[in-house]
Amino acid sequence: MKAYRILLILFVAGMLICSVEAVNAQCAMCTASVESNAKSGSTTANGLNHGIMYLLAAPYLAVAIVGYIWYKKYRRKNVDLNMRDEKLHLN
């Protein structure tokens, strides 16, 4: 079962790496400003896109870290069920 889990994680990671697509993350005002600057020869569009993607990724990374810590802290290990040895009669 552990090998299956590792294989699944590797498959998902591989699919995420292979399906990379370029993204332009700009609002309408930023797009208009960058387009007018790009016509004059400025290359601020790349820096603006990278900054917006950085700001977008930060909250997701923070939530992922908190979720991982929560999972590791509250995962149950060595649970004792304390079940009776006698048979259960439903009648």
Side-chain angles (χ1 to χ4, degrees):
M1 193 67 174
K2 189 172 184 175
Y4 175 73
R5 182 180 291 170
I6 291 172
L7 184 64
L8 180 66
I9 290 171
L10 288 175
F11 176 74
V12 170
M15 292 301 291
L16 288 174
I17 290 171
C18 291
S19 64
V20 175
E21 185 176 325
V23 177
N24 293 326
Q26 294 178 353
C27 66
M29 291 179 66
C30 296
T31 303
S33 173
V34 169
E35 283 178 0
S36 66
N37 286 339
K39 289 179 184 176
S40 63
S42 179
T43 58
T44 58
N46 265 355
L48 186 60
N49 276 335
H50 291 335
I52 290 171
M53 293 305 291
Y54 173 76
L55 290 173
L56 177 71
Y60 287 105
L61 185 61
V63 169
I65 290 171
V66 168
Y68 179 75
I69 292 171
W70 178 68
Y71 173 74
K72 284 294 192 179
K73 185 174 182 180
Y74 292 107
R75 183 175 60 173
R76 292 185 176 209
K77 295 180 181 177
N78 300 329
V79 176
D80 187 21
L81 295 177
N82 294 331
M83 294 183 69
R84 294 183 286 176
D85 292 334
E86 60 208 41
K87 290 183 179 180
L88 181 63
H89 297 288
L90 298 176
N91 291 339

